Every structure is written in structure tokens, then in C-alpha cells.
Amino acid sequence: MISSIEAAFEHKWLDVVLAAVCAVFFTLGVISGLPRKEDGQTIRIVAPLLPPQIEENGTGREARIIEAAFAAGGIAKKIEFHVMPFTRHWQAFATNERFAAVTTVPADVKITGIRSTPYIDYQNGVFYRRADHPRGLGRDPLRTLASSRIVTFAGSTAILPQLQQLSATAPIYIERADQLSHSVMLENGFVDAVIADELIFEFYTRELLEAQFDRFAKTLAFAPVFCATPYQMVFRDFELRQAFNEGLQKIRRSGLLRRINLQYANDNEIARQSVRRAGCPK
């Protein structure tokens, strides 16, 4: 007959075994829920939400260029875009090794990794009401804007250093990552000008105003006062970067890169001011 002490010991031992088994299953469950590292079949790329360049679902001009370059470079793996607010995507790449590459990196932003050749240009400039400046912004647009209320994109002074002085003189100078709010503020008169990429501002303004866009567009002008900003990708893997660069050269030579860009070209609903820009690379 088993003594009460032996029975208690056996019961305690079973509790320990059951607890250990539960702990193992719990740990496996937690591990399975963690972000997986590269599985060899998917290239995970972190990108900023900047439609129509890159949209929330991972489509757009920039996404198409990247996919075409990889395909031309012989990369048949699935491309998976993880889209988040601009500038935050740089931080995500720096802190999460799950991402094989990051898009939309200007030359002056320091990110550890292997850079590609420039693959896309953004044309930043000034959107303003034509009634406010019927003769345009003149030879020195930023001086003309010195007393204006300005809204621009987050991190703009890092990409457009000329704005540092303007940010100190303008009565209102706001940097906002939510670029839909730029269109709202210009349309309702809270600001006098928006500094943004030409395609991005038009996209969000169309989304905001829908059928009323054409009416509002006729009251605006766009001055491309800045040199186009070339962007690079940054990779962790040298061979992947090489394949991307080679593919980019191929789609440039074949004319595919130009055709993609033309599909997203501004349709000139908003008047474009002619601006002389010195020192821009050809």
C-alpha cells in the first residue's frame, strides 16, 4: 500500500511534469508568433506610404520600378512591401533584420547597409494660390515665401536643406507626415503654400476633393523650385543589391523605366510655373 507521503510525492511529481510540458508548448507558441527571418523565398522590403509612389497595398510607381528591376536582374522571389509612414521606414530597417532592404533613401541620410544606384526621382516644389502670386514666385522663390504660412512633409529639411532658413522666417512652418492634411490646410486657407512632391500632393488633393478637384486645381500653381531628389535603396545583401542594379540598367536601356514613369506623369491639371534652377544635375 502506498503511504500518504508517497502519494503526495507522486502527485507533486506529476504536477511538475505537466507544468514543464505546458511551458514547452507555450514557448513554441510564442516563438511561432514572432516575425520570421528571411525564408529564402520572400524579399521583405520596408517602404514609406507615399501614394502614388508607393501605396498602402504595396503598389505604385516606385513599387513597379523595384519589381521590374528585380525581375530583369533574375530575381524570381516574391517581393513583399511593408508600408509605413515616411522616415519611420528608415528606422524600421535599422532595427529589424527581418527586412532585406529599404526604399526611398536620399543620399544625405545615413543608413547602415549597401546602397543601390539611384532608381527614382521625386520632384519637390511649391504649391500656391495663383491669386496670391499672379506673376509667380520670382527669381528667388524661397525669399518670396519668407512671410508665408507653410506646411511640408516630415523630414523635409533633411532632404531639402534650403528649407532650414525658411523654417526660421516663415510665420507658420509645419512638418507633417500625413500629407492628406497638406491638401486640407491649403484648401481651407490655413496655409498659403505646400512644399511637397508634385505627384503626391495631386494624389491626395484628388482624394480629398473628388469631383471638385478640377475647380480647385485651376486656382493653383506648382513651382518646381528644387532639383529633383534621387532616391536609392539600401540592402543587407551584396548579391541582392547587384542583381537590383543590373536589372535597373536593363529596364533603363529597354525603355521600360521611362514607360513606367510616363504612366504616373502629372496631367497638368495644376499650372506649372517655369523656374530656373542652378546647379541641378542633368
Side-chain angles (χ1 to χ4, degrees):
M1 179 176 291
I2 300 174
S3 69
S4 59
I5 295 176
E6 291 174 327
F9 178 80
E10 183 177 353
H11 181 73
K12 184 67 174 177
W13 181 82
L14 288 173
D15 286 346
V16 170
V17 171
L18 288 173
V21 171
C22 289
V24 169
F25 279 104
F26 176 78
T27 302
L28 290 174
V30 169
I31 292 173
S32 66
L34 291 175
R36 293 174 300 159
K37 290 194 173 183
E38 195 62 53
D39 59 13
Q41 301 302 315
T42 302
I43 300 172
R44 296 182 177 88
I45 300 173
V46 62
L49 177 61
L50 295 172
Q53 313 285 16
I54 296 184
E55 302 196 29
E56 191 171 8
N57 61 359
T59 62
R61 179 172 79 119
E62 193 164 343
R64 287 188 60 193
I65 291 171
I66 292 168
E67 290 170 342
F70 274 128
I75 301 297
K77 297 178 182 180
K78 177 184 176 183
I79 309 299
E80 187 176 280
F81 290 100
H82 294 251
V83 182
M84 59 187 64
F86 187 65
T87 73
R88 194 180 299 173
H89 73 298
W90 301 332
Q91 300 167 10
F93 177 75
T95 58
N96 191 339
E97 293 187 1
R98 182 186 183 213
F99 299 120
V102 59
T103 75
T104 331
V105 181
D108 293 339
V109 170
K110 306 302 180 185
I111 294 179
T112 301
I114 308 165
R115 288 179 178 259
S116 74
T117 55
Y119 65 96
I120 195 169
D121 290 339
Y122 280 27
Q123 182 56 67
N124 289 300
V126 181
F127 290 90
Y128 62 92
R129 298 181 193 84
R130 297 170 67 180
D132 292 344
H133 303 281
R135 296 184 180 181
L137 298 180
R139 294 186 176 182
D140 192 346
L142 297 185
R143 177 174 292 183
T144 302
L145 294 171
S147 59
S148 299
R149 299 166 299 167
I150 308 289
V151 65
T152 184
F153 56 92
S156 58
T157 52
I159 295 170
L160 305 171
Q162 308 96 308
L163 294 183
Q164 292 178 1
Q165 183 175 353
L166 182 61
S167 67
T169 60
I172 293 178
Y173 183 89
I174 305 169
E175 292 190 6
R176 287 183 65 94
D178 177 10
Q179 298 202 48
L180 177 61
S181 68
H182 300 181
S183 302
V184 173
M185 286 190 277
L186 186 61
E187 195 271 339
N188 67 22
F190 184 78
V191 297
D192 305 308
V194 173
I195 296 175
D197 172 76
E198 185 174 17
L199 297 181
I200 295 171
F201 177 84
E202 181 174 333
F203 176 91
Y204 278 119
T205 307
R206 283 185 182 277
E207 184 178 82
L208 172 69
L209 299 177
E210 297 180 340
Q212 300 301 314
F213 171 79
D214 290 346
R215 174 195 58 79
F216 182 57
K218 291 176 182 177
T219 70
L220 301 180
F222 173 73
V225 302
F226 307 101
C227 298
T229 302
Y231 285 104
Q232 300 166 294
M233 289 186 68
V234 175
F235 294 88
R236 299 193 192 279
D237 181 78
F238 176 80
E239 292 184 359
L240 191 60
R241 192 283 305 268
Q242 288 299 94
F244 177 80
N245 279 355
E246 291 171 7
L248 186 63
Q249 291 179 358
K250 289 179 181 178
I251 65 172
R252 184 174 282 121
R253 288 196 300 264
S254 70
L256 176 57
L257 178 60
R258 181 175 179 273
R259 291 195 296 274
I260 293 173
N261 285 329
L262 284 175
Q263 289 176 4
Y264 290 87
N266 191 303
D267 59 10
N268 296 318
E269 294 276 4
I270 299 172
R272 218 171 192 267
Q273 178 188 336
S274 178
V275 175
R276 291 183 180 179
R277 294 171 301 189
C280 294
K282 295 182 180 179

